Amino acid sequence: MALADSLNTYRGGADENGHFGLFGGRYVAETLMPLILEVEQAYNACLKDPKFAAELKHLNTHYAGRPSPLYFAERLTEHFGGAKLYFKRDELNHTGSHKINNCLGQILVARRMGKKRIIAETGAGQHGVATATVCARFGLQCVIYMGAKDIERQKPNVFRMRLLGAEVRAVEKGTATLKDAMNEALRDWVANVDDTYYLIGTAAGPHPYPTMVRDFQSVIGEELRTQMQEAEGRLPDSLIAAVGGGSNAIGLFFPFLDDVGVKMFGVEAAGRGLKTGEHAASIAGGAPGVLHGNRTYLLQDEGGQIKDAHSISAGLDYPGIGPEHAWLYFQGRVEYVSATDNEALDAFQLCSKLEGILPALEPSHALAYVMRAAPKLPEDHLMVMNMCGRGDKDVFTVAEALGAKL
Amino acid sequence: MSKVEVRAIDAQGNRITDRFALLKKHKRAGLVAFVTANDPTPGVFMDILEGLPSAGADLIEIGIPFSDPMADGPSIQLSSQRSLKHGTKIDDVLEAVSEFRRSELATPIILMGYYNPIYHYGDQEFAEAAAKAGVDGVIIVDLPPEEAEELNVHLRANGIAMIFLAAPTSSDERLPTILNNASGFVYYVAIAGITGTATADVAAVETAMARMRRHTDLPVVVGFGIKTPEQARAISRHCDAAVVGSAIVDVIAQGLNADGKPDPTLSTKVLEFVKTLATGVHGAWP
């Protein structure tokens, strides 16, 4: 798939129209165009303001608990008998996942824009919880759209959001999952243009969201760079992250994109298996198309209708992927692989038993790939997996899948 | 080449202009009737489509169904789902247009939809097939002018108008961006919101029209939030044509039994409703 050996830079996107090569852009109805242009303007002003960076850094340190540790997974390394495995521990952040990184950044943008009402979509509920958290922290009204099916399988997070003062609105339409929650959030935004800010949780959607979310999540990779220098005195050899929309992965990858010696793997959810058609692997099983404001790889049928995604992980259950990932795939810079529901469940249990860490089902997919790749690599290969969320929210789903009664 | 075929080719691309010229000559506003292709069934849809011109629809908008219609309210979402149950694809929509064109050559047909099905079909292939079927204009809800050129070059080459939306949120600074590449007419979205929900405010539309007229000589059509003949009449006083969509689609939804089967008089009921809308609109101008 590589078009050239390597580009001058892989960190140049998006261009002024929000494109990453053929991908990205601003495919929204005219009513929303002025709004997203306003968000872009506000975000660009924040980038130029040292006070913004300082305020965000302060919150990251004192509220979210950054930097997250870089942890040598000694027993898993021993178990695999190959690569030296590290976890970037973003599950230790306040609210239990990497989602808080982006929410803190965007809530500061929304405040500067003078917005009083925040809306967001959520799949697993991690982004919903992180959004509800920052809204509580800053005293802003919060409405979360969540698919009815996801509400059913992520009950603890739904209750958490309500405790934080958010209104959770169930979306029964379509497939009642993340994509439908995003449709409803966009419909809300278009009807409440004056006071509302849409806090998108993944590195997808219309420009400037993919770029803005990536920038706020890049703190993961930037910290890792320093931490790996301290731990090993050099750069890692490979980076591994789960990919739904792809925000934790792009945050890990982006600071290393021009270090061509660092190999990168995005792990898509293969659900019940790529051949069954019941999966959420937009790159492995999709084609380029346009949805939710951007051009990217999408699961779709021969008539261009969006297909249902399937994954045991609600956070990966989305029929698309962020446009920068689509471009990195197209350029051959990042390799996209996949792991099934069952492989993720195996990884979930292995990590719990050997490391005493319950991973969320999303990074369990990344770990499933590590289980395949690490044993074949030499001992001096430094591998870093993003532990982007903790698994407490998933215990009911895992219990059901394993046939355990609680 | 038969006389009918020659007329069909001559009319290509000019039907919209001709229709607005005719409306102007008769000193009246026009009615744009929206229906989703193959809703509720291909047969009933065809009956409705063929009856629309004599029911008083001056232009017809046909919705291409999409799984994720982000700018649409519940009525049109459900109509898309009904259509998709029949497996409706772009070729089916174009076939319906060809069928319509066998007997009706003057009424402009505008396709309205979302970009993904068209992108997947192929921009050039779509433009060529649509022109051949007798389509006059295209509205793609999620294709703002910034992203539209890729499709627009092919539409232009095939004599199809690219119709852009302007919204209450579009500023005076932004309107030229929208209007510079517009053709056919401009579609003014009367409410900040999705289709079929809030009611369009007549005073706000009047103010908006004055603003639009400063920026363009193209006919201005107003839609979103127009539900009754009275509202259609009130809005039409200030613009060149009014679009009614969700309210027509609601008549279709009401004529379905519990199993989703259409009542045998459904197409008649829909066309009767369109007649009342047309009476409202056509009497709007003094």
Side-chain angles (χ1 to χ4, degrees), chain A residues 212-228:
Chain A
M212 181 164 61
V213 175
R214 175 202 71 201
D215 291 349
F216 292 139
Q217 291 296 358
S218 290
V219 67
I220 301 172
E222 282 154 14
E223 285 173 7
L224 170 63
R225 225 182 155 82
T226 314
Q227 291 167 325
M228 193 50 111

Side-chain angles (χ1 to χ4, degrees), chain B residues 32-56:
Chain B
V32 185
F34 172 94
V35 274
T36 301
N38 287 354
D39 176 32
T41 65
V44 175
F45 166 70
M46 211 57 223
D47 290 345
I48 295 171
L49 184 63
E50 293 188 320
L52 281 174
S54 46

Side-chain angles (χ1 to χ4, degrees), chain A residues 68-211:
Chain A
S68 70
L70 178 66
Y71 166 74
F72 170 43
E74 192 175 356
R75 294 198 67 211
L76 277 172
T77 298
E78 210 171 279
H79 178 79
F80 296 140
K84 188 169 185 184
L85 178 64
Y86 282 89
F87 289 157
K88 178 66 175 153
R89 301 285 306 273
D90 254 55
E91 99 281 14
L92 293 177
N93 296 336
H94 180 41
T95 75
S97 81
H98 69 289
K99 293 292 187 188
I100 193 74
N101 306 334
N102 167 50
C103 287
L104 283 172
Q106 283 199 53
I107 206 74
L108 295 184
V109 176
R111 267 163 60 86
R112 286 177 179 225
M113 292 174 77
K115 303 292 183 182
K116 302 284 179 232
R117 181 176 176 267
I118 307 295
I119 57 170
E121 81 298 333
T122 196
Q126 293 303 91
H127 175 58
V129 167
T131 304
T133 298
V134 298
C135 288
R137 168 65 183 77
F138 289 102
L140 299 168
Q141 190 194 342
C142 180
V143 175
I144 305 290
Y145 288 93
M146 188 167 184
K149 200 171 128 192
D150 291 336
I151 286 185
E152 194 46 47
R153 57 181 169 175
Q154 301 288 344
K155 282 180 191 154
N157 271 344
V158 175
F159 187 57
R160 245 171 235 144
M161 286 183 261
R162 290 187 173 136
L163 285 172
L164 291 160
E167 181 193 342
V168 182
R169 291 191 187 164
V171 180
E172 310 274 357
K173 289 161 185 161
T175 57
T177 60
L178 184 53
K179 89 174 166 79
D180 308 286
M182 200 152 181
N183 289 336
E184 276 310 292
L186 285 163
R187 290 181 185 123
D188 178 310
W189 204 21
V190 93
N192 297 287
V193 291
D194 293 326
D195 65 340
T196 298
Y197 180 89
Y198 182 13
L199 208 165
I200 294 182
T202 193
H207 183 64
Y209 286 97
T211 305

Side-chain angles (χ1 to χ4, degrees), chain A residues 170-396:
Chain A
V171 180
E172 310 274 357
K173 289 161 185 161
T175 57
T177 60
L178 184 53
K179 89 174 166 79
D180 308 286
M182 200 152 181
N183 289 336
E184 276 310 292
L186 285 163
R187 290 181 185 123
D188 178 310
W189 204 21
V190 93
N192 297 287
V193 291
D194 293 326
D195 65 340
T196 298
Y197 180 89
Y198 182 13
L199 208 165
I200 294 182
T202 193
H207 183 64
Y209 286 97
T211 305
M212 181 164 61
V213 175
R214 175 202 71 201
D215 291 349
F216 292 139
Q217 291 296 358
S218 290
V219 67
I220 301 172
E222 282 154 14
E223 285 173 7
L224 170 63
R225 225 182 155 82
T226 314
Q227 291 167 325
M228 193 50 111
Q229 279 298 339
E230 283 165 9
E232 301 277 354
R234 66 177 179 94
L235 291 177
D237 296 302
S238 60
L239 304 176
I240 290 131
V243 184
S247 71
N248 93 82
I250 202 73
L252 179 71
F253 297 165
F254 187 72
F256 295 94
L257 284 175
D258 288 338
D259 301 292
V260 289
V262 181
K263 288 197 165 64
M264 300 179 191
F265 300 87
V267 186
E268 297 190 297
R272 300 193 171 99
L274 291 178
K275 282 181 192 155
T276 66
E278 293 179 67
H279 59 79
S282 348
I283 282 186
V290 171
L291 180 72
H292 293 153
N294 57 174
R295 185 188 298 186
T296 188
Y297 279 81
L298 298 171
L299 300 180
Q300 51 188 317
D301 69 14
E302 69 283 4
Q305 305 295 337
I306 305 306
K307 285 209 291 197
D308 299 355
H310 166 82
S311 170
I312 191 168
S313 146
L316 303 180
D317 202 348
Y318 179 71
I321 184 168
E324 193 164 11
H325 286 291
W327 180 75
L328 289 168
Y329 164 70
F330 201 74
Q331 295 295 339
R333 176 64 186 97
V334 178
E335 200 174 318
Y336 292 85
V337 294
S338 64
T340 63
D341 288 352
N342 286 336
E343 289 173 310
L345 281 167
D346 289 346
F348 180 99
Q349 295 173 82
L350 186 72
C351 186
S352 303
K353 282 182 185 140
L354 289 186
E355 294 291 347
I357 296 170
L358 259 66
L361 282 170
E362 293 78 22
S364 296
H365 284 74
L367 188 60
Y369 176 73
V370 170
M371 285 169 74
R372 294 207 298 266
K376 296 178 206 152
L377 292 163
E379 283 173 18
D380 61 353
H381 182 104
L382 301 179
M383 179 180 263
V384 182
M385 189 203 97
N386 199 14
M387 183 59 79
C388 62
R390 63 175 180 234
D392 308 49
K393 70 180 173 68
D394 293 315
V395 291
F396 297 106

Side-chain angles (χ1 to χ4, degrees), chain A residues 26 30 183 187 290 304-305, chain B residues 67-69 116 147 169 174:
Chain A
R26 300 184 190 99
E30 176 56 30
N183 289 336
R187 290 181 185 123
V290 171
Q305 305 295 337
Chain B
S67 52
D68 295 81
N116 198 56
E147 305 289 356
T169 49
R174 180 155 173 82

Side-chain angles (χ1 to χ4, degrees), chain A residues 17 19 22 24-35 37 173-174 179-180 182-184 186-188 190-193 287-293 295 298 300-307, chain B residues 64-74 77 81 84 88-90 115-120 123 141-147 150 165-171 174 178 189 191-194 224:
Chain A
N17 290 314
H19 293 126
L22 295 169
R26 300 184 190 99
Y27 294 87
V28 296
E30 176 56 30
T31 317
L32 282 181
M33 262 319 268
L35 276 86
L37 293 172
K173 289 161 185 161
K179 89 174 166 79
D180 308 286
M182 200 152 181
N183 289 336
E184 276 310 292
L186 285 163
R187 290 181 185 123
D188 178 310
V190 93
N192 297 287
V193 291
V290 171
L291 180 72
H292 293 153
R295 185 188 298 186
L298 298 171
Q300 51 188 317
D301 69 14
E302 69 283 4
Q305 305 295 337
I306 305 306
K307 285 209 291 197
Chain B
I64 303 172
F66 183 48
S67 52
D68 295 81
M70 284 151 289
D72 285 300
Q77 288 174 37
Q81 284 176 13
L84 288 173
T88 306
K89 292 194 179 65
I90 284 184
Y115 189 38
N116 198 56
I118 290 168
Y119 177 73
H120 198 77
D123 292 330
V141 182
D142 55 353
L143 209 54
E146 283 86 345
E147 305 289 356
E150 211 174 303
L165 305 175
T169 49
S170 314
S171 64
R174 180 155 173 82
I178 299 170
V189 177
I191 55 168
I194 51 177
F224 281 47

